Amino acid sequence: MVPDDAGGGVMRTDVLSSPVAGLDEALAVVDAFDRVLTDGLLRPQPAQARALADLAGAVAASPLAATVAAAAEKAAAGAADEEHLLALAAARTALLGAAHDALRQVVAEATGRTTAAWTAPAPATQDTPNLLSAARAWLADLARAGWHGMDHDLVAGSAQVVTAMLPDPDLRRLAVLLDGFAGELAACCPGAGLERVPVRRWADLWSRALLLTHPGMTAAPSTGTVTGRLLPLGVDLQEHATAAQAQVLAVLEPADGSAPRLVRASVSAPKPDSVVGAGIWQLLRPRLSLLAAAGDGRAMTVTDLPVTAEGDLLWRDECAQPAAPADPFATARAVLPTALDAPLAPLERHPVRLAAPVLVEGYTAHEDDGVLTFTLAGHPLTVDTGRIPAASPLTPQAVAASTACIGLLRWDAGAFALQPLAVETTVKRRTVGVHAGAWAGGTTDKAGAKAEAAATDTVAVLRERAGKLLRK
């Protein structure tokens, strides 16, 4: 994406700052319903009844209308059962899905790219009704108590359900979600003493989990295979206290000559507190050979590599071979504008899932009170430098001094922002690239090598201790 007055792909920067009709109203309805969950549905108050009525009104023109209207009425009277709560969760998810679609249309207008068609998976056939019903009952109890009314006994009620679900591959997705959700809630119990509640996050987790308890929702994603050339664009590294994930964003050029398409390959690993900085790559690198190619600026040839309908590559090393060097910026300029965006499953449609790879150049950078902004064709675009990983040579200073940037266009806190993945900058009159995933496959860079060496001993000791525990 470049300014309107430059060559190559055209970005309509004015679209990104224009108001989206109905977006604020839809999110306001969601926020009001989330506050209902905060206080609980055991004894609804007039404000909660109004929020429930507004939720029903927001989907009045949809196929959910009658079901949600009845559910809202029952919930306002304090008589909602599990099916009523399931309908309310569906209405909330539908509103956020509509918000996602509206924002995605804005991105499509700005980039000129289109989205590939969605292929629905086959219905699930191995649901376990008793376990799904038990999970639904626990989630219903949470909604009645609310986040302020939860306690350790209530939260612990999920343990037996999770334990019973984990051995079943078809239920593992829901089991992991419930386990993580319960862990967050347990860390905040009792709810009566909470000063701040992550209202949107917990409502998202609650709604998603409740919908996954509906028979047929645990279907595995549709998969196919792809053959062609894989051109990495960048690496998005996400780090938490106990886990890390790297996602390689790439363009696939199919061998059959069809349109290029955007794809992703992800890898995650548990992370001890003692592994920080560049040491994270040592945990992730052995699990995904594509990281080395992305770090080295090299393409890969893939043959019959499994891929989901959402563009997620199910990586298998035996299906991939290193290919010739491929500069991500050359890929972004020549191939990205014509690539098809990957579709999202209906349940995944949420504004937080917006992460569109884009190329921005020809801008002027300006920093004000710690906030970096790129101005393109007279329109500002906030740069989210807080997402730059520490395990990377990319820095906010390099982004501020750059002339071109590959990044992910996201939407957060009511506005679009750019997460940098790589930049071109001038060093000693030469244009050089600085990439967030440059250390993914190893590095000879002085700072990166020093950080790797410091982490090597820590990782080795942890692996040795883990081996001793397993032998016991």
Side-chain angles (χ1 to χ4, degrees), residues 2-3 65 89 140 270 341 402 453:
V2 296
D341 282 329
S402 65

Side-chain angles (χ1 to χ4, degrees), residues 209-234:
L210 194 55
L211 289 174
L212 287 177
T213 67
H214 185 68
M217 295 301 291
T218 57
S222 299
T223 58
T225 59
V226 290
T227 297
R229 187 169 65 144
L230 198 62
L231 303 167
L233 287 168

Side-chain angles (χ1 to χ4, degrees), residues 113-303:
R113 297 201 302 260
T114 57
T115 301
W118 164 248
T119 303
T125 57
Q126 298 183 355
D127 285 337
T128 308
N130 291 339
L131 290 178
L132 294 178
S133 178
R136 198 179 307 124
W138 178 72
L139 292 163
D141 288 342
L142 275 181
R144 295 185 185 105
W147 315 132
H148 283 152
M150 66 181 182
D151 56 26
H152 285 289
D153 289 340
L154 174 58
V155 173
S158 67
Q160 288 185 335
V161 181
V162 170
T163 301
M165 283 184 170
L166 281 173
D168 188 340
D170 293 326
L171 298 177
R172 199 163 293 156
R173 177 189 184 193
L174 175 57
V176 171
L177 173 56
L178 291 174
D179 190 36
F181 186 25
E184 286 193 24
L185 297 178
C188 298
C189 281
L194 283 177
E195 294 183 3
R196 296 183 62 186
V197 176
V199 177
R200 175 68 63 83
R201 174 175 173 78
W202 284 357
D204 281 342
L205 295 174
W206 177 84
S207 300
R208 170 63 61 86
L210 194 55
L211 289 174
L212 287 177
T213 67
H214 185 68
M217 295 301 291
T218 57
S222 299
T223 58
T225 59
V226 290
T227 297
R229 187 169 65 144
L230 198 62
L231 303 167
L233 287 168
V235 181
D236 179 18
L237 179 64
Q238 300 172 12
E239 180 184 354
H240 299 279
T242 59
Q245 174 179 279
Q247 186 176 81
V248 181
L249 291 304
V251 177
L252 174 74
E253 292 185 322
D256 61 9
S258 58
R261 52 189 289 197
L262 285 163
V263 293
R264 307 176 286 266
S266 302
V267 59
S268 57
K271 184 189 77 66
D273 289 341
S274 53
V275 177
V276 296
I280 294 172
W281 297 117
Q282 297 184 31
L283 301 176
L284 300 172
R285 195 177 296 142
R287 301 166 181 250
L288 184 66
S289 61
L290 180 59
L291 285 174
D296 294 340
R298 186 174 295 275
M300 294 197 85
T301 301
V302 297
T303 305

Side-chain angles (χ1 to χ4, degrees), residues 364-375 380-383 385 396 400:
T364 57
H366 175 71
E367 188 171 356
D368 184 19
D369 198 22
V371 177
L372 180 63
T373 302
F374 289 164
T375 301
L381 178 61
T382 301
V383 182
T385 55

Side-chain angles (χ1 to χ4, degrees), residues 11 41 43 185 202 206 285 297 305 350 353 405 408 439:
M11 178 175 77
L41 284 164
R43 297 180 182 85
L185 297 178
W202 284 357
W206 177 84
R285 195 177 296 142
L305 181 66
H350 190 295
R353 289 297 306 272
C405 177
L408 294 176
W439 296 347

